[in-house]
């Protein structure tokens, strides 16, 4: 089938967040805090286990008092911050200001890297005349990330869960994206890394394709391998 529209997830699909180790190291350095190597590695392990880095490893266990915020974390900026700073606070870091600093760091464009083939595929779709949208479960505005990495000109529409109060797999997000692109869902493909969340597009009749949520170095051509473009 020839698609006239393509929707992409953000985290784990087009971009990947930095590892927990560099996330923590950058924030400690910016805050002028020094900890020994053993303590640092313990913090890395504990933050990883807690699932405190948005876009990073999932929590091994969500505390009861955060369960409601976690379930609806992508419906609003407030719930997203509450959920992730709450997870981070399970780890006894040396300064109480670090929790907000860590949360702020994950929203920085410098904390994100595009997958090696992301620009190639997006440009190929653009040359093919395909309209492009980004549909993301997220609690903050990711547009500056695309701008900083020079990919914003390749995206026609952004549909972000926190701006609509709706999370994938709710079909309303995908319907909104198709409407913004002025494309019929049956001629649109959704690309993501989460089979449940991104698979929700199938309810509208969209085709769905999946990539693996891997570190950037381990997935050099996962998007290109989907064969979405004629010219890339």
């Amino acid at each position: 089938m020839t698609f006239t529209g393509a929707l992409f997830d953000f985290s784990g699909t087009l971009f990947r967040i930095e590892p927990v180790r560099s996330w923590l190291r950058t924030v400690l350095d910016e805050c002028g805090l020094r900890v020994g190597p053993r303590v640092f590695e313990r913090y890395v392990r504990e933050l990883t286990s807690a699932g405190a880095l948005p876009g990073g490893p999932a929590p091994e266990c969500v505390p009861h008092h955060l369960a409601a915020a976690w379930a609806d974390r992508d419906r609003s900026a407030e719930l997203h911050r509450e959920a992730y700073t709450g997870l981070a606070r399970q780890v006894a870091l040396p300064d109480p200001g670090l929790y907000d600093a860590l949360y702020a760091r994950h929203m920085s464009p410098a904390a994100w890297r595009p997958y090696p083939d992301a620009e190639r595929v997006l440009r190929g779709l653009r040359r093919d005349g395909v309209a492009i949208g980004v549909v993301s479960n997220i609690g903050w505005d990711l547009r500056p990330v695309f701008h900083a990495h020079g990919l914003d000109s390749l995206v026609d529409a952004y549909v972000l869960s926190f701006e609509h109060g709706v999370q994938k797999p709710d079909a309303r997000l995908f319907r909104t994206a198709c409407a913004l692109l002025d494309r019929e869902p049956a001629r649109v493909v959704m690309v993501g890394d989460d089979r449940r969340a991104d698979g929700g597009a199938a309810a509208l009749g969209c085709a769905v394709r999946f990539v693996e949520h891997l570190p950037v170095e381990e997935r050099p051509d996962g998007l290109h391998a989907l064969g979405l473009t004629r010219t890339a």
Side-chain angles (χ1 to χ4, degrees), residues 59 62-76 79-80 82-84 87 137 161 165-169 196:
V62 176
H64 179 73
H65 72 281
L66 291 175
W70 177 256
D72 288 334
R73 64 192 179 278
D74 295 316
R75 293 186 190 276
S76 74
L79 286 171
H80 194 271
E82 177 186 348
Y84 280 105
L87 291 172
N137 277 353
S161 61
V166 175
Q167 297 180 150
K168 296 183 291 187
R196 178 178 178 274

Side-chain angles (χ1 to χ4, degrees), residues 51-183:
L53 173 59
E60 292 182 4
C61 180
V62 176
H64 179 73
H65 72 281
L66 291 175
W70 177 256
D72 288 334
R73 64 192 179 278
D74 295 316
R75 293 186 190 276
S76 74
E78 294 76 18
L79 286 171
H80 194 271
R81 177 181 288 272
E82 177 186 348
Y84 280 105
T85 58
L87 291 172
R89 285 189 175 93
Q90 295 182 94
V91 181
L93 296 176
D95 187 304
L98 284 171
Y99 304 107
D100 286 333
L102 285 167
Y103 187 82
R105 167 65 187 179
H106 104 272
M107 295 186 289
S108 167
W112 295 87
R113 291 175 61 192
Y115 280 92
D117 56 347
E119 181 175 0
R120 177 186 181 189
V121 169
L122 292 178
R123 290 196 181 280
L125 288 168
R126 176 71 77 204
R127 287 192 294 269
D128 291 345
V130 176
I132 297 169
V134 171
V135 184
S136 177
N137 277 353
I138 199 164
W140 50 278
D141 186 3
L142 53 73
R143 294 173 183 87
V145 177
F146 281 79
H147 177 74
H149 291 277
L151 300 182
D152 54 321
S153 65
L154 302 176
V155 179
D156 299 297
Y158 296 89
V159 180
L160 311 182
S161 61
F162 83 103
E163 295 181 337
H164 297 268
V166 175
Q167 297 180 150
K168 296 183 291 187
D170 194 308
R172 286 176 289 178
L173 281 181
F174 305 108
R175 184 178 293 112
T176 296
C178 290
L180 289 173
L181 296 182
D182 194 24
R183 297 293 190 268

Side-chain angles (χ1 to χ4, degrees), residues 1 3 5-7 135 171 173-179 181 183-191 198-210:
M1 176 186 292
F3 299 111
L7 306 177
V135 184
L173 281 181
F174 305 108
R175 184 178 293 112
T176 296
C178 290
L181 296 182
R183 297 293 190 268
E184 291 297 322
R187 302 294 301 279
V188 171
V189 59
M190 173 68 204
V191 181
D198 300 312
L204 285 184
C206 298
V208 183
R209 303 287 185 269
F210 296 106

